[in-house]
Coordinates of all heavy atoms in Angstrom, one line a residue:
M1 N -27.4 -12.7 -5.8 CA -28.3 -12.2 -6.8 C -27.9 -12.7 -8.2 O -26.7 -12.8 -8.5 CB -28.1 -10.6 -6.8 CG -28.8 -9.9 -7.9 SD -28.5 -8.2 -7.9 CE -29.1 -7.8 -9.4
I2 N -28.9 -13.1 -8.9 CA -28.7 -13.5 -10.3 C -29.3 -12.4 -11.2 O -30.4 -12.0 -11.0 CB -29.4 -14.9 -10.6 CG1 -28.8 -15.9 -9.7 CG2 -29.3 -15.2 -12.0 CD1 -29.5 -17.3 -9.8
C3 N -28.4 -11.9 -12.1 CA -28.9 -10.8 -12.9 C -28.6 -11.3 -14.4 O -27.4 -11.5 -14.7 CB -28.1 -9.6 -12.6 SG -28.6 -8.2 -13.6
I4 N -29.6 -11.4 -15.1 CA -29.5 -11.9 -16.5 C -29.7 -10.7 -17.5 O -30.7 -10.0 -17.3 CB -30.5 -13.0 -16.9 CG1 -30.3 -14.2 -15.9 CG2 -30.4 -13.4 -18.3 CD1 -31.3 -15.2 -16.0
S5 N -28.7 -10.5 -18.4 CA -28.8 -9.4 -19.3 C -28.0 -9.8 -20.5 O -27.0 -10.5 -20.5 CB -28.2 -8.2 -18.6 OG -28.1 -7.1 -19.6
K6 N -28.4 -9.2 -21.7 CA -27.6 -9.4 -22.9 C -26.3 -8.6 -22.9 O -25.4 -9.0 -23.5 CB -28.5 -9.0 -24.1 CG -29.6 -9.9 -24.4 CD -30.4 -9.4 -25.6 CE -31.6 -10.4 -25.8 NZ -32.4 -10.0 -27.0
N7 N -26.3 -7.6 -22.1 CA -25.1 -6.7 -22.0 C -24.5 -6.9 -20.6 O -25.1 -6.6 -19.6 CB -25.6 -5.3 -22.2 CG -24.4 -4.3 -22.1 OD1 -23.4 -4.5 -21.5 ND2 -24.6 -3.2 -22.8
P8 N -23.3 -7.4 -20.5 CA -22.6 -7.7 -19.2 C -22.4 -6.4 -18.4 O -22.5 -6.4 -17.2 CB -21.3 -8.3 -19.5 CG -21.0 -8.0 -20.9 CD -22.4 -7.8 -21.6
Y9 N -22.2 -5.3 -19.1 CA -22.0 -4.0 -18.4 C -23.3 -3.5 -17.7 O -23.3 -3.0 -16.6 CB -21.4 -2.9 -19.3 CG -20.1 -3.3 -19.9 CD1 -20.0 -3.8 -21.2 CD2 -19.0 -3.4 -19.1 CE1 -18.7 -4.2 -21.7 CE2 -17.7 -3.8 -19.6 CZ -17.6 -4.2 -20.9 OH -16.4 -4.6 -21.4
S10 N -24.4 -3.7 -18.4 CA -25.7 -3.4 -17.9 C -26.0 -4.2 -16.7 O -26.5 -3.8 -15.7 CB -26.8 -3.6 -19.0 OG -28.0 -3.4 -18.4
A11 N -25.6 -5.5 -16.7 CA -25.8 -6.4 -15.6 C -25.0 -5.9 -14.4 O -25.5 -6.0 -13.2 CB -25.5 -7.8 -16.0
L12 N -23.8 -5.5 -14.6 CA -22.9 -5.0 -13.5 C -23.5 -3.8 -12.9 O -23.5 -3.6 -11.7 CB -21.5 -4.8 -14.0 CG -20.7 -6.0 -14.2 CD1 -19.4 -5.7 -14.9 CD2 -20.4 -6.8 -12.9
E13 N -24.0 -2.9 -13.8 CA -24.7 -1.6 -13.3 C -25.9 -2.0 -12.4 O -26.1 -1.4 -11.3 CB -25.1 -0.7 -14.4 CG -23.9 -0.1 -15.1 CD -23.2 0.9 -14.2 OE1 -23.8 1.6 -13.4 OE2 -21.9 1.1 -14.4
T14 N -26.7 -2.9 -12.8 CA -27.9 -3.3 -12.1 C -27.5 -3.9 -10.8 O -28.0 -3.6 -9.7 CB -28.7 -4.3 -12.9 OG1 -29.1 -3.7 -14.1 CG2 -30.0 -4.7 -12.1
Y15 N -26.5 -4.8 -10.8 CA -26.0 -5.4 -9.6 C -25.5 -4.4 -8.6 O -25.8 -4.4 -7.4 CB -24.8 -6.4 -9.9 CG -24.2 -7.0 -8.7 CD1 -24.7 -8.0 -8.0 CD2 -22.9 -6.5 -8.3 CE1 -24.1 -8.5 -6.9 CE2 -22.3 -7.0 -7.1 CZ -22.9 -8.0 -6.4 OH -22.3 -8.5 -5.3
S16 N -24.7 -3.4 -9.1 CA -24.2 -2.4 -8.2 C -25.3 -1.5 -7.6 O -25.2 -1.2 -6.4 CB -23.2 -1.5 -9.1 OG -22.8 -0.4 -8.3
Q17 N -26.3 -1.2 -8.4 CA -27.4 -0.4 -7.9 C -28.2 -1.2 -6.8 O -28.5 -0.6 -5.7 CB -28.3 -0.1 -9.0 CG -29.5 0.8 -8.6 CD -30.4 1.1 -9.8 OE1 -30.4 0.4 -10.8 NE2 -31.1 2.3 -9.7
V18 N -28.4 -2.5 -7.0 CA -29.1 -3.3 -6.0 C -28.3 -3.4 -4.7 O -28.8 -3.3 -3.6 CB -29.5 -4.6 -6.6 CG1 -30.1 -5.6 -5.5 CG2 -30.6 -4.5 -7.7
M19 N -27.0 -3.7 -4.9 CA -26.2 -3.8 -3.7 C -26.1 -2.5 -2.9 O -26.1 -2.5 -1.7 CB -24.8 -4.3 -4.1 CG -24.7 -5.7 -4.6 SD -25.3 -6.9 -3.4 CE -26.8 -7.5 -4.2
G20 N -26.1 -1.4 -3.6 CA -26.1 -0.1 -2.9 C -27.3 0.1 -2.1 O -27.2 0.6 -1.0
I21 N -28.4 -0.3 -2.7 CA -29.7 -0.1 -2.0 C -29.7 -1.0 -0.7 O -30.1 -0.6 0.4 CB -30.9 -0.4 -2.9 CG1 -31.0 0.7 -4.0 CG2 -32.2 -0.5 -2.1 CD1 -31.9 0.4 -5.1
L22 N -29.4 -2.3 -0.9 CA -29.4 -3.3 0.1 C -28.5 -2.9 1.3 O -28.7 -3.3 2.4 CB -29.1 -4.7 -0.4 CG -30.2 -5.3 -1.3 CD1 -29.7 -6.6 -1.9 CD2 -31.5 -5.4 -0.6
N23 N -27.3 -2.3 1.0 CA -26.3 -2.0 2.0 C -26.3 -0.5 2.4 O -25.3 -0.1 3.0 CB -25.0 -2.5 1.5 CG -24.9 -4.0 1.3 OD1 -24.9 -4.7 2.3 ND2 -24.8 -4.5 0.1
S24 N -27.3 0.2 2.0 CA -27.5 1.6 2.3 C -26.2 2.4 1.9 O -25.7 3.3 2.6 CB -27.7 1.8 3.8 OG -28.8 1.1 4.3
G25 N -25.7 2.1 0.7 CA -24.6 2.8 0.2 C -24.9 4.2 -0.3 O -26.0 4.4 -0.7
R26 N -23.9 5.0 -0.1 CA -24.1 6.4 -0.6 C -24.0 6.4 -2.1 O -23.0 6.0 -2.7 CB -23.1 7.3 0.0 CG -23.3 7.6 1.4 CD -22.4 8.6 2.0 NE -21.3 9.1 1.3 CZ -20.5 10.1 1.6 NH1 -20.9 10.8 2.7 NH2 -19.5 10.5 0.9
V27 N -25.0 6.8 -2.8 CA -25.0 6.8 -4.3 C -25.2 8.2 -4.7 O -25.7 9.1 -4.1 CB -26.1 5.9 -4.9 CG1 -25.9 4.5 -4.5 CG2 -27.5 6.4 -4.4
N28 N -24.7 8.5 -5.9 CA -24.7 9.8 -6.6 C -24.0 10.9 -5.7 O -24.4 12.0 -5.7 CB -26.2 10.2 -6.9 CG -26.8 9.2 -7.8 OD1 -26.2 8.7 -8.7 ND2 -28.1 9.0 -7.6
S29 N -23.0 10.5 -5.0 CA -22.3 11.5 -4.2 C -20.8 11.3 -4.6 O -20.3 10.2 -4.9 CB -22.5 11.3 -2.7 OG -21.9 10.0 -2.3
I30 N -20.1 12.4 -4.5 CA -18.7 12.4 -4.8 C -18.0 12.4 -3.5 O -18.3 13.3 -2.6 CB -18.3 13.7 -5.6 CG1 -19.0 13.6 -7.0 CG2 -16.8 13.7 -5.8 CD1 -18.9 14.9 -7.8
I31 N -17.0 11.6 -3.3 CA -16.2 11.6 -2.1 C -15.0 12.4 -2.4 O -14.2 12.1 -3.3 CB -15.8 10.1 -1.7 CG1 -17.0 9.3 -1.4 CG2 -14.8 10.2 -0.5 CD1 -16.8 7.9 -1.1
N32 N -14.9 13.5 -1.6 CA -13.7 14.4 -1.8 C -12.8 14.2 -0.6 O -13.2 14.3 0.5 CB -14.3 15.8 -1.8 CG -15.1 16.1 -3.0 OD1 -14.7 15.8 -4.1 ND2 -16.3 16.6 -2.8
G33 N -11.5 14.1 -1.0 CA -10.5 14.0 0.1 C -9.1 14.0 -0.4 O -8.8 14.1 -1.6
W34 N -8.2 14.0 0.5 CA -6.8 14.0 0.3 C -6.2 12.6 0.7 O -6.6 12.2 1.8 CB -6.1 15.1 1.0 CG -4.6 15.1 0.9 CD1 -3.9 15.6 -0.1 CD2 -3.6 14.6 1.8 NE1 -2.5 15.4 0.1 CE2 -2.3 14.8 1.3 CE3 -3.7 13.9 3.1 CZ2 -1.2 14.4 2.0 CZ3 -2.6 13.6 3.7 CH2 -1.3 13.8 3.2
C35 N -5.5 11.9 -0.1 CA -4.9 10.7 0.3 C -3.4 10.8 0.3 O -2.8 11.2 -0.7 CB -5.3 9.6 -0.7 SG -4.6 8.0 -0.4
S36 N -2.8 10.4 1.3 CA -1.3 10.6 1.5 C -0.5 9.8 0.4 O 0.6 10.2 0.0 CB -0.9 10.1 2.9 OG -1.1 8.7 3.0
W37 N -1.1 8.7 -0.1 CA -0.3 7.8 -1.0 C 0.1 8.5 -2.3 O 1.2 8.4 -2.7 CB -1.1 6.6 -1.3 CG -0.4 5.7 -2.3 CD1 -0.6 5.5 -3.6 CD2 0.7 4.8 -1.9 NE1 0.3 4.7 -4.1 CE2 1.1 4.2 -3.1 CE3 1.4 4.6 -0.8 CZ2 2.2 3.3 -3.2 CZ3 2.5 3.7 -0.8 CH2 2.9 3.1 -2.0
F38 N -0.8 9.3 -2.8 CA -0.6 9.9 -4.1 C 0.5 11.0 -4.0 O 0.9 11.5 -5.1 CB -1.9 10.4 -4.7 CG -2.8 9.3 -4.9 CD1 -3.9 9.2 -4.1 CD2 -2.6 8.3 -5.9 CE1 -4.8 8.1 -4.3 CE2 -3.5 7.3 -6.1 CZ -4.6 7.2 -5.3
Y39 N 0.8 11.5 -2.9 CA 1.8 12.6 -2.7 C 3.1 12.1 -2.1 O 4.1 12.4 -2.5 CB 1.1 13.7 -1.8 CG 2.0 14.9 -1.7 CD1 2.3 15.7 -2.8 CD2 2.6 15.2 -0.5 CE1 3.2 16.8 -2.6 CE2 3.4 16.3 -0.3 CZ 3.7 17.1 -1.4 OH 4.5 18.2 -1.2
T40 N 3.0 11.2 -1.0 CA 4.2 10.8 -0.3 C 4.5 9.4 -0.4 O 5.6 9.0 0.1 CB 4.0 11.2 1.2 OG1 2.9 10.4 1.7 CG2 3.7 12.6 1.4
F41 N 3.6 8.6 -1.0 CA 3.8 7.1 -1.0 C 3.9 6.6 0.4 O 3.2 7.0 1.2 CB 4.9 6.7 -1.9 CG 4.7 7.1 -3.4 CD1 5.5 8.1 -3.9 CD2 3.7 6.5 -4.1 CE1 5.3 8.5 -5.3 CE2 3.5 6.9 -5.5 CZ 4.3 7.9 -6.0
D42 N 4.9 5.8 0.7 CA 5.1 5.3 2.1 C 6.0 6.2 2.9 O 6.4 5.9 4.0 CB 5.5 3.9 2.1 CG 6.9 3.6 1.5 OD1 7.4 4.6 0.9 OD2 7.4 2.5 1.7
N43 N 6.4 7.4 2.4 CA 7.3 8.3 3.1 C 6.5 9.3 3.9 O 7.0 10.4 4.3 CB 8.2 9.0 2.1 CG 9.1 8.1 1.4 OD1 9.7 7.2 2.1 ND2 9.3 8.3 0.1
V44 N 5.2 9.1 4.2 CA 4.3 10.0 4.9 C 4.8 10.1 6.4 O 5.4 9.2 6.9 CB 2.9 9.5 4.9 CG1 2.7 8.2 5.6 CG2 1.9 10.5 5.4
T45 N 4.6 11.3 6.9 CA 4.9 11.6 8.3 C 3.7 12.3 9.0 O 2.8 12.8 8.3 CB 6.1 12.6 8.4 OG1 5.8 13.8 7.9 CG2 7.4 12.0 7.7
E46 N 3.7 12.2 10.3 CA 2.7 12.8 11.1 C 2.6 14.3 10.7 O 1.6 14.9 10.5 CB 2.9 12.6 12.5 CG 1.9 13.3 13.4 CD 2.2 13.0 14.9 OE1 3.0 13.7 15.5 OE2 1.7 12.0 15.4
E47 N 3.8 14.9 10.6 CA 3.9 16.4 10.4 C 3.2 16.7 9.0 O 2.5 17.7 8.9 CB 5.3 16.8 10.3 CG 5.5 18.3 10.0 CD 7.0 18.7 9.9 OE1 7.9 17.9 10.2 OE2 7.2 19.9 9.5
E48 N 3.5 15.9 8.0 CA 2.9 16.1 6.7 C 1.4 16.0 6.7 O 0.6 16.8 6.2 CB 3.4 15.1 5.7 CG 2.9 15.2 4.3 CD 3.5 16.4 3.6 OE1 4.7 16.8 3.8 OE2 2.8 17.0 2.8
V49 N 0.9 15.0 7.4 CA -0.6 14.8 7.5 C -1.2 15.9 8.3 O -2.3 16.5 7.8 CB -0.9 13.4 8.2 CG1 -2.4 13.3 8.5 CG2 -0.4 12.3 7.4
V50 N -0.7 16.3 9.4 CA -1.2 17.4 10.1 C -1.2 18.7 9.3 O -2.2 19.5 9.3 CB -0.5 17.6 11.5 CG1 -0.9 18.9 12.2 CG2 -0.7 16.4 12.4
R51 N -0.1 19.0 8.6 CA 0.0 20.2 7.8 C -1.1 20.2 6.7 O -1.8 21.2 6.5 CB 1.4 20.3 7.2 CG 1.6 21.6 6.4 CD 3.1 21.8 6.0 NE 3.6 20.7 5.3 CZ 4.7 20.0 5.7 NH1 5.2 20.2 6.9 NH2 5.1 19.0 5.0
N52 N -1.3 19.1 6.0 CA -2.3 19.0 5.0 C -3.7 19.1 5.6 O -4.6 19.7 5.0 CB -2.2 17.7 4.2 CG -1.1 17.9 3.1 OD1 -1.4 18.5 2.1 ND2 0.1 17.4 3.4
A53 N -4.0 18.4 6.7 CA -5.3 18.5 7.4 C -5.6 19.9 7.8 O -6.8 20.3 7.6 CB -5.3 17.5 8.5
E54 N -4.7 20.6 8.3 CA -4.9 22.0 8.7 C -5.2 22.9 7.5 O -6.1 23.7 7.6 CB -3.8 22.5 9.5 CG -3.7 21.9 10.9 CD -2.4 22.3 11.7 OE1 -1.5 22.9 11.1 OE2 -2.4 22.1 12.9
F55 N -4.5 22.7 6.4 CA -4.7 23.5 5.2 C -6.1 23.2 4.7 O -6.9 24.1 4.3 CB -3.7 23.1 4.2 CG -3.9 23.9 2.9 CD1 -3.4 25.2 2.7 CD2 -4.6 23.3 1.8 CE1 -3.7 25.9 1.5 CE2 -4.9 24.0 0.7 CZ -4.4 25.3 0.5
I56 N -6.5 21.9 4.7 CA -7.8 21.5 4.2 C -8.9 22.1 5.0 O -9.9 22.6 4.5 CB -7.9 20.0 4.1 CG1 -7.0 19.4 3.0 CG2 -9.3 19.5 4.0 CD1 -6.8 17.9 3.1
S57 N -8.7 22.0 6.3 CA -9.7 22.6 7.3 C -9.9 24.1 7.0 O -11.0 24.6 7.0 CB -9.3 22.3 8.7 OG -10.2 22.9 9.6
R58 N -8.8 24.8 6.8 CA -8.9 26.3 6.7 C -9.4 26.7 5.3 O -10.1 27.6 5.1 CB -7.5 26.9 6.9 CG -7.1 27.1 8.3 CD -5.8 28.0 8.4 NE -4.8 27.7 7.4 CZ -3.8 26.7 7.6 NH1 -3.8 26.1 8.7 NH2 -2.9 26.5 6.6
N59 N -9.0 25.9 4.2 CA -9.2 26.4 2.9 C -10.1 25.6 2.0 O -10.7 26.1 1.0 CB -7.8 26.5 2.2 CG -6.9 27.5 2.9 OD1 -7.1 28.7 2.9 ND2 -5.9 26.9 3.5
L60 N -10.2 24.3 2.2 CA -10.9 23.5 1.3 C -12.2 22.8 1.8 O -13.0 22.4 1.0 CB -10.0 22.4 0.8 CG -8.7 22.9 0.1 CD1 -7.8 21.8 -0.3 CD2 -9.1 23.7 -1.1
K61 N -12.4 22.8 3.1 CA -13.6 22.1 3.7 C -14.9 22.8 3.2 O -15.8 22.1 2.8 CB -13.5 22.1 5.2 CG -14.7 21.4 5.8 CD -14.4 20.9 7.2 CE -15.6 20.1 7.8 NZ -15.9 18.9 7.1
K62 N -14.8 24.1 3.0 CA -16.0 24.8 2.6 C -16.4 24.5 1.1 O -17.5 24.8 0.7 CB -15.8 26.4 2.7 CG -14.7 26.9 1.9 CD -14.4 28.4 2.2 CE -13.1 28.9 1.5 NZ -12.8 30.2 2.0
Y63 N -15.5 23.9 0.4 CA -15.8 23.4 -1.0 C -16.1 21.9 -1.0 O -16.3 21.4 -2.1 CB -14.6 23.7 -1.9 CG -14.3 25.2 -2.0 CD1 -13.1 25.7 -1.4 CD2 -15.1 26.0 -2.6 CE1 -12.8 27.0 -1.5 CE2 -14.8 27.4 -2.7 CZ -13.7 27.9 -2.1 OH -13.4 29.2 -2.2
G64 N -16.2 21.3 0.1 CA -16.7 19.9 0.2 C -15.6 18.9 0.4 O -15.9 17.7 0.3
L65 N -14.3 19.3 0.6 CA -13.3 18.3 0.8 C -13.5 17.8 2.3 O -13.4 18.5 3.2 CB -11.9 18.9 0.6 CG -10.9 17.8 0.4 CD1 -9.9 18.3 -0.6 CD2 -10.2 17.4 1.6
D66 N -13.8 16.5 2.4 CA -14.3 16.0 3.7 C -13.3 15.0 4.4 O -13.4 14.8 5.6 CB -15.6 15.2 3.6 CG -16.7 16.2 3.2 OD1 -16.8 17.3 3.7 OD2 -17.6 15.8 2.4
Y67 N -12.4 14.4 3.6 CA -11.7 13.2 4.1 C -10.2 13.4 4.0 O -9.7 14.0 3.0 CB -12.1 11.9 3.4 CG -13.5 11.6 3.6 CD1 -14.4 11.9 2.6 CD2 -14.0 10.9 4.7 CE1 -15.8 11.6 2.8 CE2 -15.3 10.6 4.9 CZ -16.2 11.0 3.9 OH -17.5 10.7 4.1
V68 N -9.4 12.9 5.0 CA -8.0 12.8 4.9 C -7.7 11.3 5.2 O -8.1 10.8 6.2 CB -7.3 13.7 6.0 CG1 -5.8 13.4 6.1 CG2 -7.6 15.1 5.7
Q69 N -7.0 10.7 4.2 CA -6.7 9.3 4.3 C -5.2 9.1 4.4 O -4.5 9.5 3.5 CB -7.3 8.5 3.1 CG -6.9 7.1 3.1 CD -7.3 6.4 1.8 OE1 -8.2 6.8 1.1 NE2 -6.7 5.2 1.6
I70 N -4.8 8.4 5.5 CA -3.4 8.0 5.6 C -3.3 6.6 5.1 O -3.8 5.7 5.7 CB -2.9 8.1 7.1 CG1 -3.2 9.5 7.6 CG2 -1.4 7.8 7.1 CD1 -3.0 9.6 9.1
D71 N -2.7 6.4 3.9 CA -2.8 5.2 3.2 C -1.7 4.2 3.7 O -2.0 3.0 4.0 CB -2.6 5.4 1.7 CG -2.9 4.2 0.9 OD1 -2.4 3.1 1.2 OD2 -3.7 4.3 -0.1
E72 N -0.5 4.5 3.7 CA 0.6 3.6 3.9 C 1.8 4.3 4.5 O 2.0 5.5 4.3 CB 1.0 3.0 2.5 CG 2.1 1.9 2.6 CD 1.6 0.6 3.3 OE1 0.8 0.0 2.8 OE2 2.2 0.3 4.3
G73 N 2.5 3.6 5.3 CA 3.7 4.2 5.9 C 3.6 4.6 7.3 O 4.6 5.0 8.0
Y74 N 2.4 4.6 7.9 CA 2.2 5.0 9.3 C 2.3 3.9 10.3 O 2.6 4.1 11.5 CB 0.8 5.6 9.4 CG -0.3 4.6 9.3 CD1 -0.7 3.9 10.4 CD2 -0.8 4.2 8.1 CE1 -1.7 2.9 10.3 CE2 -1.8 3.2 8.0 CZ -2.2 2.6 9.1 OH -3.1 1.6 9.0
Q75 N 2.2 2.7 9.8 CA 2.1 1.5 10.8 C 3.4 0.9 11.0 O 4.3 1.0 10.1 CB 1.0 0.5 10.3 CG 1.5 -0.3 9.1 CD 1.3 0.3 7.8 OE1 1.6 1.5 7.6 NE2 1.0 -0.5 6.8
R76 N 3.5 0.1 12.1 CA 4.8 -0.6 12.3 C 4.9 -1.8 11.4 O 6.0 -2.1 10.9 CB 4.8 -1.1 13.8 CG 4.8 0.1 14.8 CD 4.7 -0.4 16.2 NE 4.5 0.7 17.0 CZ 5.0 0.9 18.2 NH1 5.8 0.0 18.7 NH2 4.7 2.0 18.9
Y77 N 3.8 -2.5 11.2 CA 3.8 -3.7 10.3 C 2.5 -3.7 9.5 O 1.5 -3.1 10.0 CB 3.9 -5.0 11.2 CG 5.0 -5.0 12.1 CD1 4.8 -4.8 13.5 CD2 6.3 -5.3 11.7 CE1 5.9 -4.8 14.4 CE2 7.4 -5.3 12.6 CZ 7.2 -5.1 13.9 OH 8.2 -5.1 14.8
H78 N 2.5 -4.3 8.4 CA 1.3 -4.4 7.6 C 0.2 -5.1 8.5 O 0.5 -6.2 9.1 CB 1.5 -5.2 6.3 CG 2.3 -4.4 5.3 ND1 1.7 -3.4 4.6 CD2 3.5 -4.5 5.0 CE1 2.6 -2.9 3.8 NE2 3.7 -3.5 4.0
G79 N -1.0 -4.5 8.5 CA -2.1 -5.1 9.3 C -2.1 -4.6 10.7 O -3.0 -4.9 11.5
D80 N -1.1 -3.8 11.1 CA -1.0 -3.2 12.5 C -1.5 -1.8 12.4 O -1.2 -1.0 11.6 CB 0.5 -3.2 12.9 CG 0.7 -2.8 14.4 OD1 -0.3 -2.5 15.0 OD2 1.8 -2.8 14.8
W81 N -2.3 -1.4 13.4 CA -2.9 -0.1 13.4 C -2.1 0.9 14.3 O -2.4 2.0 14.4 CB -4.3 -0.2 14.0 CG -5.3 -0.8 13.0 CD1 -5.6 -2.1 13.0 CD2 -5.9 -0.3 11.8 NE1 -6.5 -2.4 11.9 CE2 -6.6 -1.2 11.2 CE3 -5.8 1.0 11.3 CZ2 -7.3 -1.0 10.0 CZ3 -6.6 1.2 10.1 CH2 -7.3 0.2 9.5
E82 N -1.0 0.4 14.9 CA -0.2 1.3 15.7 C 0.7 2.1 14.9 O 1.3 1.6 13.9 CB 0.6 0.5 16.8 CG -0.3 -0.1 17.8 CD 0.4 -0.2 19.2 OE1 1.3 0.6 19.4 OE2 0.0 -1.0 19.9
G83 N 0.9 3.4 15.2 CA 1.8 4.2 14.5 C 3.3 3.9 14.7 O 3.7 3.4 15.8
N84 N 4.1 4.1 13.7 CA 5.5 3.9 13.8 C 6.2 5.2 14.3 O 5.6 6.1 14.7 CB 6.1 3.4 12.5 CG 5.9 4.4 11.3 OD1 5.7 5.6 11.6 ND2 5.8 3.9 10.1
E85 N 7.5 5.2 14.2 CA 8.3 6.3 14.7 C 8.0 7.6 13.9 O 8.3 8.7 14.4 CB 9.8 6.0 14.6 CG 10.4 5.9 13.2 CD 10.1 4.5 12.6 OE1 9.7 3.6 13.2 OE2 10.4 4.4 11.3
K86 N 7.5 7.5 12.7 CA 7.1 8.7 11.9 C 5.8 9.3 12.4 O 5.4 10.4 12.1 CB 7.0 8.4 10.4 CG 8.3 8.0 9.8 CD 8.2 7.8 8.3 CE 7.4 6.6 8.0 NZ 7.3 6.3 6.5
F87 N 5.1 8.6 13.3 CA 3.8 9.1 13.9 C 3.9 9.0 15.4 O 3.4 8.1 16.0 CB 2.7 8.3 13.4 CG 2.3 8.7 12.0 CD1 3.0 8.2 10.9 CD2 1.2 9.5 11.7 CE1 2.7 8.6 9.6 CE2 0.9 9.9 10.4 CZ 1.7 9.4 9.4
P88 N 4.7 9.9 16.0 CA 5.0 9.7 17.5 C 3.7 9.9 18.4 O 3.7 9.4 19.5 CB 5.9 10.9 17.8 CG 5.8 11.8 16.7 CD 5.4 11.0 15.5
H89 N 2.6 10.4 17.8 CA 1.4 10.6 18.6 C 0.4 9.5 18.3 O -0.8 9.6 18.7 CB 0.8 12.0 18.4 CG 1.7 13.0 18.9 ND1 2.5 13.7 18.1 CD2 1.9 13.5 20.2 CE1 3.2 14.6 18.8 NE2 2.8 14.5 20.1
G90 N 0.8 8.5 17.6 CA -0.1 7.3 17.3 C -0.8 7.5 16.0 O -0.7 8.5 15.3

């Protein structure tokens, strides 16, 4: 896409809007969730994730909190999707 504008920020906004439409992106929605990184960094454990997911399910889902993201520290190696010893159930 070529987008010509006197204002580069306006061009970026237009580009973003067009790409969202072309790729069926969710627009004007807020993604609500809990991310392990901001709380535990790479010291996350299966127990911590389960405890937070259960709390979210009981108390926060009704307010729109939809996602639990395990960011780092669960895998054996970078790029590997298998859980390490801190995630005995995978």
Side-chain angles (χ1 to χ4, degrees):
M1 174 182 166
I2 297 175
C3 184
I4 299 171
S5 174
K6 292 180 180 181
N7 182 331
Y9 299 107
S10 175
L12 285 172
E13 288 292 330
T14 301
Y15 173 79
S16 175
Q17 184 179 24
V18 170
M19 291 300 112
I21 292 168
L22 292 175
N23 294 293
S24 302
R26 291 187 345 168
V27 294
N28 299 324
S29 64
I30 298 172
I31 297 176
N32 292 308
W34 176 82
C35 177
S36 65
W37 180 257
F38 299 107
Y39 183 69
T40 63
F41 299 109
D42 63 348
N43 296 316
V44 65
T45 64
E46 181 179 85
E47 179 184 353
E48 182 72 34
V49 171
V50 169
R51 187 170 51 245
N52 278 281
E54 288 173 346
F55 178 85
I56 289 164
S57 176
R58 280 191 316 273
N59 302 290
L60 302 175
K61 185 158 181 61
K62 62 186 171 188
Y63 299 110
L65 202 142
D66 293 322
Y67 299 95
V68 173
Q69 175 185 342
I70 307 168
D71 190 314
E72 182 67 64
Y74 68 90
Q75 75 279 39
R76 294 175 194 221
Y77 306 102
H78 287 284
D80 187 358
W81 290 97
E82 291 214 23
N84 59 25
E85 67 281 348
K86 296 186 288 182
F87 285 80
H89 297 98

